[in-house]
């Protein structure tokens, strides 16, 4: 039950972070938002390291470095797929892939959830697919954009898997390693493309909020994964688009489509099924 609570909280915080990140990208360049939010997250994790138990573990940090590279690569590929495809294809493809990979990995590692929990996993994957639908674009996309979206999902899924490989005794050190490697990759990309990382006036606060919330969600995920099965935790965490949608509806007045509302209902059902298993 503790893992379910932590994973669900992680999904809510991830979705809130994405909401703030979306607001920030309306004012500043995407690369500036990503770089500065990552730096804010690094500041938070460095502040939390002495507060939460855990010993420095070089092997765990290496897993974290790999996770950071995987997550950052997934983010770059995700934005690239959005530039060459349509959201209605790219978003669900990326989301379901990022959720399905940790589930498959967990099952291959010997995890055996109860039948009720497996039903919740199936419902959760369906919820991710429905919630991520965007009817503002056409329903088709190029083969290259779909392949890029699959690769982006693999990057995000790899982030979850690689973090799970670090020992529980390492505390939050894997997240510190992940953030160092992701920041390094983003800065190298900015140098290679000669992109300025200066945010637009008035957007820094929103960017910092996005970065701090994203790292807080990472911490909740790591704690949840250490309390429960990766195959269950990853699905619950991947329901984060639900909170983004609800915030957009509440704050910005954006209209939710019936298929997305059905996805939110499926998400609630998935959480309930996994919780009672």
């Amino acid at each position: 039950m503790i893992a379910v609570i932590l994973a669900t909280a992680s999904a809510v915080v991830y979705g809130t972070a994405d909401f703030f990140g979306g607001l920030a990208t309306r004012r500043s360049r995407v690369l500036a938002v990503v770089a500065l939010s990552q730096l804010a997250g690094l500041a938070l994790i460095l502040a939390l390291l002495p507060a939460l138990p855990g010993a420095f573990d070089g092997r765990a940090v290496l897993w974290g470095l790999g996770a950071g590279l995987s997550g950052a690569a997934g983010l770059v590929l995700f934005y690239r797929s959005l530039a060459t495809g349509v959201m209605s294809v790219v978003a669900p493809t990326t989301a379901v892939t990022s959720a399905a990979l940790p589930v498959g990995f967990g099952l291959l590692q010997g995890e055996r959830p109860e039948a009720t929990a497996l039903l919740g996993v199936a419902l959760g994957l369906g919820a991710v697919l429905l919630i991520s639908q965007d009817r503002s674009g056409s329903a088709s996309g190029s083969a290259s954009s779909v392949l890029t979206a699959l690769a982006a999902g693999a990057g995000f899924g790899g982030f979850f898997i690689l973090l799970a490989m670090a020992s529980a005794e390492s505390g939050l050190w894997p997240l510190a390693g992940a953030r160092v490697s992701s920041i390094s990759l983003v800065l190298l990309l900015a140098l290679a493309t000669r992109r300025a990382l200066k945010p637009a006036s008035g957007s820094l606060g929103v960017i910092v909020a996005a970065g701090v919330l994203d790292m807080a969600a990472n911490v909740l995920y790591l704690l949840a994964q250490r309390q429960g099965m990766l195959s269950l935790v990853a699905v619950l965490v991947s329901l984060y688009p639900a909170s983004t949608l609800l915030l957009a509806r509440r704050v910005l007045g954006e209209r939710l489509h019936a298929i997305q509302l059905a996805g939110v209902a499926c998400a609630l059902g998935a959480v309930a099924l996994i919780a009672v298993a």
Side-chain angles (χ1 to χ4, degrees):
M1 180 60 75
I2 294 177
V4 172
I5 294 172
L6 290 171
T8 304
S10 177
V12 172
V13 179
Y14 267 132
T16 306
D18 277 2
F19 176 75
F20 278 101
L23 291 180
T25 53
R26 295 184 178 186
R27 307 175 188 177
S28 300
R29 293 180 182 273
V30 169
L31 206 56
V33 172
V34 173
L36 295 174
S37 64
Q38 297 268 301
L39 285 170
L42 177 61
L44 175 63
I45 200 62
L46 291 178
L48 289 177
L49 277 174
L52 294 178
F56 178 83
D57 183 339
R59 186 178 178 86
V61 171
L62 287 176
W63 284 119
L65 289 170
L69 290 175
S70 182
L75 188 63
V76 172
L77 289 168
F78 180 64
Y79 284 128
R80 179 175 176 80
S81 62
L82 288 178
T84 58
V86 291
M87 178 64 77
S88 58
V89 174
V90 169
T93 301
T94 301
V96 173
T97 304
S98 66
L101 283 181
V103 171
F105 181 82
L107 294 176
L108 287 174
Q109 289 292 102
E111 295 183 355
R112 293 296 180 264
E114 295 182 12
T116 304
L118 287 175
L119 180 59
V121 168
L123 191 60
L125 292 175
V128 173
L129 179 64
L130 295 175
I131 292 168
S132 302
Q133 294 294 326
D134 181 0
R135 296 307 183 190
S136 61
S138 65
S140 62
S142 67
S144 61
S145 68
V146 171
L147 289 175
T148 306
L150 286 170
F156 294 144
F159 175 81
F160 291 135
I161 293 171
L162 291 170
L163 276 183
M165 298 297 292
S167 66
E169 292 75 21
S170 61
L172 301 181
W173 281 103
L175 288 177
R179 195 43 47 104
V180 168
S181 62
S182 63
I183 289 174
S184 300
L185 183 60
V186 172
L187 291 178
L188 286 174
L189 183 60
L191 288 173
T193 57
R194 298 182 179 179
R195 298 289 180 86
L197 297 180
K198 182 179 180 180
S201 177
S203 65
L204 183 59
V206 179
I207 294 173
V208 170
V212 169
L213 287 169
D214 179 69
M215 180 52 73
N218 287 338
V219 172
L220 288 168
Y221 161 73
L222 195 62
L223 296 176
Q225 181 274 316
R226 290 170 177 172
Q227 293 288 331
M229 297 183 188
L230 176 63
S231 53
L232 302 182
V233 168
V235 171
L236 293 176
V237 172
S238 297
L239 297 175
Y240 67 87
S243 57
T244 306
L245 285 176
L246 294 175
L247 277 172
R249 174 69 182 88
R250 179 70 177 176
V251 178
L252 303 178
E254 293 185 3
R255 179 173 171 267
L256 298 183
H257 300 288
I259 193 170
Q260 293 173 315
L261 290 172
V264 172
C266 288
L268 294 174
V271 172
L273 287 171
I274 292 174
V276 300

